[in-house]
Amino acid sequence: FYDGLKAQFRRMEDAGFLSSVGELADGSPALSASHVENVFRTNALSAYNAGRADQMRQPAVMAKRPVWEIRGVDDDRTRPAHKAAHGKMLLATDPFWLKAYPPFGFMCRDRIISRGPEYLSQVVSGSTIVGLPDEGFSSGLGSLLAPDPF
């Protein structure tokens, strides 16, 4: 992944988007490396998570794996709301997913894994999860799918 990211940055540099001058030859503002990384990572993880949601929403999968677990990276860069949600298990049909689904914010590294019925005793309501998605970030299956995706 990291080598691919470096290659993307080289392409952006070659195209003139990472000018250290602050603007391109035509006067338009140049993008900073951190901005490009933010956009790339957020979009790549959005695509990955959308693909996973499509797989996990298949009727046969939903029947055998009705619980979805929020999994995150537990390190010093993890935001408090994301850390608090790590390990929470919700029903795949919980309305929470319509308003919040990874990425929950810019540079979010959270993902969802599906679990079998043996995890039903650990399910909580999505209403117990606060602070997701991050303020000002649009997230959720409801924005990607028809009004009733389940």
Side-chain angles (χ1 to χ4, degrees):
F1 177 79
Y2 184 70
D3 288 337
L5 186 60
K6 285 188 345 187
Q8 290 290 334
F9 277 117
R10 278 195 294 280
R11 284 188 211 113
M12 297 295 274
E13 284 174 331
D14 293 346
F17 288 113
L18 297 178
S19 169
S20 60
V21 177
E23 63 181 42
L24 302 175
D26 65 1
S28 61
L31 301 175
S32 68
S34 61
H35 179 84
V36 172
E37 180 182 11
N38 184 350
V39 170
F40 176 79
R41 283 182 181 267
T42 302
N43 288 339
L45 290 171
S46 291
Y48 169 80
N49 283 312
R52 291 282 296 141
D54 190 46
Q55 291 174 333
M56 294 187 311
R57 289 180 45 257
Q58 298 300 312
V61 177
M62 293 273 286
K64 292 187 184 281
R65 301 182 69 84
V67 176
W68 288 2
E69 180 181 359
I70 300 170
R71 300 296 298 175
V73 178
D74 190 12
D75 62 15
D76 62 344
R77 293 184 344 192
T78 305
R79 289 164 274 200
H82 297 240
K83 188 174 286 229
H86 174 71
K88 298 273 175 124
M89 296 188 200
L90 287 70
L91 288 176
T93 55
D94 193 294
F96 171 82
W97 304 119
L98 296 176
K99 74 173 185 84
Y101 188 84
F104 297 122
F106 294 106
M107 300 286 281
C108 173
R109 298 170 290 159
D110 293 324
R111 64 199 183 288
I112 304 301
I113 59 173
S114 62
R115 301 281 192 186
E118 64 273 17
Y119 290 90
L120 286 169
S121 64
Q122 298 176 49
V123 166
V124 299
S125 169
S127 63
T128 64
I129 299 174
V130 295
L132 294 180
D134 293 346
E135 187 175 339
F137 191 83
S138 179
S139 174
L141 296 177
S143 64
L144 301 173
L145 307 169
D148 184 8
F150 304 109

